[in-house]
Amino acid sequence: MKLKLILIIVLCGCVTFVSAKKTHVRNNRNKEVKDDTLLVKSYMDSLMVYKRMADSLSRVNDSLMTERKPDSRYFRLFAPLTFYNNVAGSRLSLEGANGEDDADEVVKGIDQALLAMYLRHPEYVSNTENQVEKVGELHEEIKTPIRNKVEFSEPSVPVPEDVPTTPVDIVVKKPNFWTYSGEYYMQFLQNYISSNWYKGGESNYSMVASAIFQANYNNKQKVKFENKLELKLGFQTTKGDSLHSLKTSEDLIRYTGKLGLQATKNWYYTLQLIAYTQFMRGYKSNDPDVYSDILSPLNTNLSIGMSYTVKALKGKLTGSVQLSPVAYNFRYVGRKALATQYGLEEGEQTMHDIGSECTVDLTWAFTSDIKWKTRFYAYTTYKRTELEWENTITFSINRYLSSNIFIYPRFDDSSTKDDKYGYFQLKEYASLGFSYSF
């Protein structure tokens, strides 16, 4: 019974406080409180009211605990305000409260508190008992225990996979480190040759054919092996020559081989071999003497040094520079009559000497249609010097037509000195004709 009275007092006090607070707020809206003392006093009174509410709630919370466990019957007081049919029904019943025992004191106190809220503040009622029933229970109690069905089976034996009966051939291809390339052309030309050119010839109109083959090995690690074979052969006819109806204007067989072992990114330790001779006999106009022949002379140069790989101007300038402090040169002349002309002692056919050698071989593609190839070769024994500088400028008209300008100055102080040019020699021609490269 005491608990019932406490609940009623707390609820009534809360309702009265809320109503009084609303009334106070409405009155304050109509008038302005100018007195600071009244404002402070009101603030202090509100703190006291809040303290009493906190104490009341603490006592109610203690009363809600039954044997340290919450009583679910008090749920209706703290849930959103709901209209329950039995609250009004019990008050309107003819039986009254005489038949109720002490066990329902808590329920009767809760019903009276809810009825007071229904009568004084019906606007706070947000739900009805019918709406709650439509929602249903939060969960259904599981009355039958759930048991997992466990089935035991014999351990399975792995089944071996079927081995394919069809034979499978495994092909392992070795990497191909070889690259091949070539250039060909056959052109007509205007040719100028100085009167002391060491192989003879004269200025004229003629035809020339050229073929260049390259086979290079590079294992992308340490070893490079480059091979280059150059073949050139040109013929000329002149009306002023009464002795020869056909003479050679261009005649070259030259092989260049280079074996390199990488030292740094662009430098290689190299062993280089250069060997060159010609195809046919060489004459001068109206002169019966032979000035060159196959293996007359044959020059072979073997050198040891370092090679630098050139790649500049965004790949437009490519090639190599060979520097050899030690080089062995061998010269053979098959015709003994030509021995003195090529620096040999009279009657001798071979010559050996050791010196230094330098070879520069570059290609500069100015555009896709204009290309300059240059080869500079220098060999010296510090007693004699041999210099050659070949320059070929190619103008590509289309894939099969091109024009060449060839300029070839040369210096050789082992040859016979000319009264006009000394040891210098010059050869040049301009040509137009068929060309092909791959």
Side-chain angles (χ1 to χ4, degrees), residues 29-304:
R29 290 177 180 175
N30 297 329
K31 63 180 180 178
E32 296 181 357
V33 179
K34 299 180 180 180
D35 191 355
D36 295 340
T37 305
L38 180 61
L39 180 62
V40 173
K41 184 176 182 303
S42 299
Y43 177 69
M44 296 301 294
D45 292 342
S46 65
L47 292 179
M48 294 298 296
V49 173
Y50 176 76
K51 180 177 182 304
R52 294 192 191 99
M53 289 178 60
D55 294 341
S56 299
L57 291 175
S58 177
R59 288 193 296 271
V60 170
N61 182 61
D62 293 340
S63 66
L64 294 179
M65 302 298 293
T66 305
E67 295 180 359
R68 302 287 181 181
K69 296 181 180 180
D71 193 338
S72 61
R73 289 177 297 179
Y74 294 99
F75 169 77
R76 292 186 297 170
L77 291 177
F78 303 99
L81 189 58
T82 303
F83 181 80
Y84 296 100
N85 298 331
N86 65 328
V87 174
S90 62
R91 298 299 99 189
L92 299 176
S93 176
L94 297 177
E95 296 179 359
N98 295 329
E100 298 172 354
D101 53 12
D102 294 337
D104 297 325
E105 288 294 329
V106 175
V107 177
K108 289 189 294 183
I110 295 173
D111 290 346
Q112 290 179 6
L114 291 174
L115 182 60
M117 290 296 296
Y118 296 161
L119 296 175
R120 296 179 181 179
H121 297 284
E123 69 274 12
Y124 294 151
V125 179
S126 59
N127 300 309
T128 64
E129 186 175 357
N130 293 335
Q131 293 175 343
V132 174
E133 290 178 352
K134 288 181 181 180
V135 174
E137 298 181 357
L138 295 178
H139 66 274
E140 297 181 359
E141 297 293 338
I142 300 176
K143 299 179 181 180
T144 304
I146 299 175
R147 299 180 182 275
N148 295 325
K149 185 177 181 181
V150 180
E151 296 181 357
F152 296 95
S153 61
E154 296 294 331
S156 59
V157 179
V159 179
E161 297 182 358
D162 294 336
V163 179
T165 56
T166 304
V168 178
D169 295 333
I170 299 176
V171 179
V172 179
K173 293 184 177 181
K174 295 183 179 180
N176 185 14
F177 298 121
W178 286 93
T179 58
Y180 304 93
S181 62
E183 295 181 9
Y184 311 92
Y185 68 80
M186 183 175 64
Q187 298 176 336
F188 299 94
L189 55 93
Q190 171 270 330
N191 190 27
Y192 171 80
I193 300 176
S194 61
S195 60
N196 68 328
W197 185 251
Y198 76 111
K199 291 185 181 179
E202 66 177 333
S203 302
N204 54 62
Y205 292 96
S206 59
M207 180 185 71
V208 64
S210 173
I212 301 175
F213 304 95
Q214 295 189 71
N216 299 326
Y217 174 88
N218 188 354
N219 65 358
K220 308 298 182 180
Q221 293 180 353
K222 291 290 185 181
V223 180
K224 290 176 66 174
F225 182 36
E226 300 176 353
N227 299 271
K228 185 177 182 181
L229 178 61
E230 300 170 86
L231 305 175
K232 280 186 180 181
L233 185 60
F235 297 98
Q236 64 179 357
T237 59
T238 57
K239 295 181 180 180
D241 188 359
S242 59
L243 295 179
H244 312 100
S245 60
L246 187 67
K247 300 190 299 292
T248 59
S249 59
E250 186 72 25
D251 195 354
L252 175 67
I253 303 173
R254 181 167 62 204
Y255 167 77
T256 303
K258 186 187 298 184
L259 177 63
L261 181 64
Q262 189 173 23
T264 61
K265 181 179 179 181
N266 294 318
W267 285 96
Y268 286 80
Y269 301 107
T270 54
L271 175 66
Q272 179 176 265
L273 174 64
I274 301 175
Y276 57 94
T277 184
Q278 52 280 317
F279 288 99
M280 304 177 68
R281 296 175 181 178
Y283 297 97
K284 289 185 179 181
S285 181
N286 294 316
D287 190 343
D289 295 336
V290 177
Y291 287 84
S292 63
D293 198 356
I294 186 168
L295 301 181
S296 296
L298 168 64
N299 286 283
T300 304
N301 187 282
L302 182 64
S303 61
I304 298 175

Side-chain angles (χ1 to χ4, degrees), residues 292-421:
S292 63
D293 198 356
I294 186 168
L295 301 181
S296 296
L298 168 64
N299 286 283
T300 304
N301 187 282
L302 182 64
S303 61
I304 298 175
M306 295 196 72
S307 175
Y308 179 78
T309 302
V310 178
K311 190 173 184 180
L313 303 178
K314 298 181 179 180
K316 293 184 177 181
L317 179 62
T318 58
S320 63
V321 178
Q322 171 76 16
L323 302 175
S324 301
V326 179
Y328 166 73
N329 192 79
F330 170 76
R331 178 174 293 177
Y332 172 79
V333 179
R335 286 177 173 265
K336 292 184 179 181
L338 301 178
T340 56
Q341 181 177 337
Y342 292 102
L344 279 67
E345 297 293 335
E346 187 174 356
E348 298 289 336
Q349 289 185 292
T350 60
M351 182 178 68
H352 308 267
D353 49 29
I354 296 176
S356 300
E357 181 264 334
C358 174
T359 304
V360 179
D361 197 345
L362 300 175
T363 300
W364 188 353
F366 297 104
T367 66
S368 59
D369 298 326
I370 303 175
K371 182 169 59 177
W372 173 42
K373 286 186 176 183
T374 182
R375 176 185 179 271
F376 177 79
Y377 171 79
Y379 173 76
T380 179
T381 63
Y382 306 102
K383 291 183 179 180
R384 71 176 185 89
T385 302
E386 183 178 345
L387 303 175
E388 295 179 347
W389 188 20
E390 301 177 32
N391 297 274
T392 303
I393 301 176
T394 302
F395 300 89
S396 298
I397 300 173
N398 54 38
R399 185 176 179 182
Y400 300 106
L401 289 177
S402 66
S403 176
N404 288 347
I405 297 177
F406 181 74
I407 303 174
Y408 184 9
R410 187 174 186 275
F411 177 88
D412 187 0
D413 58 5
S414 65
S415 61
T416 304
K417 186 176 181 180
D418 184 75
D419 295 335
K420 183 177 180 181
Y421 298 101

